Amino acid sequence: MTTLINRPNTALLVVDMQVGVVAEAYRRDDVVATIAALVDKARGAGVDVIWVQHSGEELPRGSDGWQYVPELARRGSEPLVAKEYSDAFEATDLESVLAGRGIGRFFLAGAQTDECIRSTLHGAITRGYDVTLVADAHTTEDLSDYGAPPPELVVAHTNLYWQYHKAPGRTAGTVNAVDVDFAGPSDPSPSEPSPS
């Protein structure tokens, strides 16, 4: 259970699925389709969908690359959180958006696995949230030329370590998109790590 008081609600948080962020991403089309299905599932369940959009020197606000991929359309009633740092909570209004909707638990999807997804996972759990990573709904680009592991290993490793992450009074874990239950318990049961 979340350590936050009066936060019984659940949300889907979609991070940085922007044209310039995922143009060269691992399994880009599969991940986009998976997230689109999750968004539909959340809307059908009456669960808030919160969108996060990054900007910076390499991704200027208003540029073509800054736009969300066309396959993912935000509804006007769904919050959009602008960010400039990896952690979606850092110097943004995400906390007030979640608090205003009574959200203490969320499922996380988006990009990039080894930067904004990991930072937001840790940012959330240290702030008291229950946070479940959707194992097949996040991706990253290939940075192996810079010494990083191949993207499929980055995704698999992130799923592995988050599946078993623990913090007092909070839950972490992973789940595949097909098994996401927005009305279910906040304590995800460990399952086999997804290889991708």
Side-chain angles (χ1 to χ4, degrees), residues 102-127:
I103 295 164
R105 168 186 181 237
F106 63 83
F107 292 86
L108 183 63
Q112 291 200 46
T113 301
D114 42 355
E115 189 66 28
C116 299
I117 294 299
R118 286 185 182 175
S119 296
T120 301
L121 286 169
H122 290 283
I125 206 157
T126 60
R127 288 171 173 87

Side-chain angles (χ1 to χ4, degrees), residues 47-168:
V47 167
D48 283 306
V49 180
I50 314 291
W51 303 84
V52 177
Q53 189 171 29
H54 191 83
S55 62
E57 276 185 37
E58 296 179 9
L59 204 62
R61 187 181 300 263
S63 67
D64 289 344
W66 173 81
Q67 304 297 330
Y68 250 75
V69 296
E71 300 96 322
L72 297 175
R74 181 179 71 91
R75 291 183 177 167
S77 61
E78 295 169 343
L80 177 64
V81 175
K83 74 174 179 65
E84 296 180 2
Y85 299 97
S86 297
D87 179 355
F89 288 91
E90 192 67 42
T92 72
D93 63 350
L94 179 57
E95 169 55 26
S96 63
V97 167
L98 296 172
R101 288 167 169 71
I103 295 164
R105 168 186 181 237
F106 63 83
F107 292 86
L108 183 63
Q112 291 200 46
T113 301
D114 42 355
E115 189 66 28
C116 299
I117 294 299
R118 286 185 182 175
S119 296
T120 301
L121 286 169
H122 290 283
I125 206 157
T126 60
R127 288 171 173 87
Y129 290 88
D130 294 336
V131 57
T132 302
L133 177 62
V134 185
D136 53 349
H138 62 99
T139 186
T140 191
E141 64 186 319
D142 187 346
L143 297 173
S144 56
D145 286 347
Y146 301 94
E152 64 272 17
L153 296 182
V154 172
V155 169
H157 179 251
T158 303
N159 288 339
L160 176 65
Y161 89 76
W162 198 254
Q163 177 180 353
Y164 297 104
H165 193 81
K166 293 182 181 181

Side-chain angles (χ1 to χ4, degrees), residues 1-2 105 107 130-132 163 165-167 170-175 181 184-190:
M1 286 290 292
T2 176
R105 168 186 181 237
F107 292 86
D130 294 336
V131 57
T132 302
Q163 177 180 353
H165 193 81
K166 293 182 181 181
R170 289 149 283 171
T171 60
T174 61
V175 65
D181 181 2
S186 62
D187 186 11
S189 57

